[in-house]
Amino acid sequence: MGAPRNTSCDDEQALAQSIAQGNAGAMRLLYDRYMPLLASVCTRYIADDSDAKDVLQDSFVSIFTSIGGFTYKGEGSLRAWMTRIVVNKAINSLKKSMRLSQIETPGRVPDVPDDDGGDVEAGRVPIDVIHGFIRQLPDGYRTVFNMSVIEHRSHSEIAATLGIKKETSASQLHRAKAVLARQIRDYVNTHDC
């Protein structure tokens, strides 16, 4: 049995079924199609490239071994399911390495002034540069920022997932946004955007 002929996004269900049946061509197709996206998701959480590759590899192993339990819910559901696996693997990796245990509590976070205008200026900065800024954030800031801004999780959900207080999550997000706004402003000022 070859890889599914129709490789459009609306054929995710057939692709997942082919992989569940052990079709190596379908596995290769899924890897080629989604690896860049999932690598990007992974590197938003994991700053070290070697660690990110390990997490991504572990994620693909999980995807291929558990795809039989995937339930198709419409276009984009396979992508969302795989993204959730990568995010969970990345967070677990950070927890395991104890990087998240060093999340600062609000009382110990140095004051960072509120910064206005970052959102307006962000549109003037290439996305790969912004991605680099996110990767430079401390682990706790970066993790909370991604979970809140990219995944739209509430501070209650973030706190439960990371084992921190809701207030700590809110503080980490505020600090991450302030750092990113400052980096964006500096970039715009030095690159005449």
Side-chain angles (χ1 to χ4, degrees):
M1 177 181 212
R5 278 184 266 171
N6 181 356
T7 59
S8 66
C9 288
D10 63 350
D11 203 30
E12 289 179 334
Q13 186 174 20
L15 182 60
Q17 289 172 344
S18 292
I19 293 168
Q21 295 168 355
N23 182 320
M27 288 180 190
R28 186 70 192 163
L29 179 62
L30 179 129
Y31 180 84
D32 290 343
R33 182 187 295 172
Y34 292 103
M35 192 280 299
L37 166 77
L38 298 178
S40 178
V41 169
C42 190
T43 59
R44 275 199 334 258
Y45 283 89
I46 309 291
D48 180 80
D49 288 335
S50 177
D51 291 344
K53 286 178 186 174
D54 290 344
V55 168
L56 187 61
Q57 179 180 350
D58 190 33
S59 297
F60 270 105
V61 169
S62 290
I63 288 166
F64 291 136
T65 58
S66 63
I67 202 159
F70 164 71
T71 303
Y72 182 75
K73 297 178 181 173
E75 185 176 334
S77 61
L78 179 61
R79 173 183 165 164
W81 179 77
M82 292 186 301
T83 299
R84 175 64 46 216
I85 289 173
V86 173
V87 167
N88 289 338
K89 292 285 184 185
I91 290 171
N92 288 338
S93 175
L94 288 168
K95 283 181 177 178
K96 206 178 288 183
S97 69
M98 301 303 290
R99 292 181 193 153
L100 289 182
S101 68
Q102 300 170 6
I103 289 182
E104 299 167 333
T105 59
R108 296 187 350 226
V109 177
D111 284 336
V112 180
D114 286 337
D115 219 324
D116 293 328
D119 289 342
V120 174
E121 292 178 347
R124 299 165 51 193
V125 180
I127 193 70
D128 60 320
V129 173
I130 293 174
H131 184 82
F133 292 159
I134 293 169
R135 288 191 79 192
Q136 293 171 14
L137 290 170
D139 291 330
Y141 287 22
R142 185 176 59 252
T143 303
V144 171
F145 178 84
N146 281 308
M147 293 177 80
S148 177
V149 174
I150 307 298
E151 296 179 45
H152 308 289
R153 291 198 195 180
S154 70
H155 287 298
S156 296
E157 291 174 296
I158 295 168
T161 301
L162 301 180
I164 60 176
K165 294 179 181 178
K166 185 177 165 181
E167 296 78 17
T168 301
S169 174
S171 176
Q172 294 288 297
L173 177 61
H174 174 76
R175 305 304 179 190
K177 285 181 173 181
V179 169
L180 289 172
R182 187 177 333 122
Q183 289 175 311
I184 289 167
R185 186 181 57 245
D186 291 348
Y187 181 90
V188 168
N189 289 339
T190 59
H191 290 86
D192 295 324
C193 294

